Amino acid sequence: MEKIIEAGSKWSNVVAKGKAVRFTALEDGANISLLLYNAKNTTDRYNMPDSLKAQHTSKFTKGNILMTDNGRAMASIIEDSLGWHDPIGGYSTRAGTDSRYGETTFQKLLNEYYRSGEENFVKELMRHGLTKRDLVPNINLFSKIYADEAGSMHFDPEHAKAGDTVTLRLEMDSLMILSNTPNPQDPAADFPSVPVKMEVFDVKEADENDYCVNYHPENRRAFENTWEYHSLLV
């Protein structure tokens, strides 16, 4: 499958384990916000604090895995041209979008209005029987946010270039929700308009020798939890 996620748009679907999803920035300055839920039990979902704590990091790159609330490996980053994706910047809101880019509404501009990440996420959650209460911290692919010595956070506007790619391998059947909306930490005055190409294809599933399994000691433990989970399913 190949699809273009246009600026401001959203997408959701279940992606099976053993599939990989490659995202390619088609222009400079891309940002794709991502949520993940176990498709067979949506109460088991991507857990940002546990994923960062277990891997001793505040960013994601090749080798890192996304863990669920139950300590399972949900998805792995198997390829990455950037070396940094943002798990802490959050998603944009209606109030924040209006404040930064000027107030726009569907009633006045129809589909040309500036959507927020929160609105896109909630609409896609509802398609799958979930609600705003099921929102969790997201991942901003292609964005870089770092902290200085004083603890202040900074957004790098020169980070993502056209042609950059990141590829996730799904370790369990997962509900994937995407929003192509600006990182709320992006100081740009204009609403970004950067399409992103999405490709889904089959890949070899992780085994004992897999790069992501062995990237960090806690990764192997999370994979073992996932393998046990799958061994007990009918």
Side-chain angles (χ1 to χ4, degrees), residues 95-148:
T97 301
D98 288 347
S99 174
R100 175 156 298 168
Y101 308 110
E103 184 176 345
T104 61
T105 64
F106 175 79
Q107 288 74 16
K108 291 182 179 179
L109 300 176
L110 299 178
N111 287 328
E112 298 302 314
Y113 85 107
Y114 296 156
R115 295 171 173 83
S116 73
E118 183 179 50
E119 290 170 316
N120 279 351
F121 281 154
V122 171
K123 288 176 183 176
E124 292 306 307
L125 284 169
M126 292 179 70
R127 293 177 188 270
H128 301 276
L130 302 171
T131 72
K132 187 175 182 178
R133 295 181 61 184
D134 297 294
L135 274 172
V136 294
N138 64 303
I139 301 160
N140 290 306
L141 300 175
F142 299 107
S143 284
K144 179 179 180 179
I145 292 179
Y146 61 95
D148 61 23

Side-chain angles (χ1 to χ4, degrees), residues 40-106:
K40 291 184 171 62
N41 173 14
T42 54
T43 63
D44 189 27
R45 50 194 62 173
Y46 163 65
N47 185 308
M48 179 266 275
D50 286 355
S51 297
L52 300 184
K53 179 178 63 178
Q55 296 173 95
H56 301 175
T57 187
S58 61
K59 64 178 182 180
F60 287 138
T61 186
K62 180 179 178 180
N64 285 132
I65 63 172
L66 312 182
M67 298 180 183
T68 74
D69 295 310
N70 288 319
R72 298 171 181 141
M74 174 171 244
S76 305
I77 298 177
I78 58 173
E79 296 294 340
D80 177 24
S81 70
L82 275 164
W84 194 307
H85 300 271
D86 163 42
I88 58 177
Y91 46 78
S92 58
T93 63
R94 178 77 268 144
T97 301
D98 288 347
S99 174
R100 175 156 298 168
Y101 308 110
E103 184 176 345
T104 61
T105 64
F106 175 79

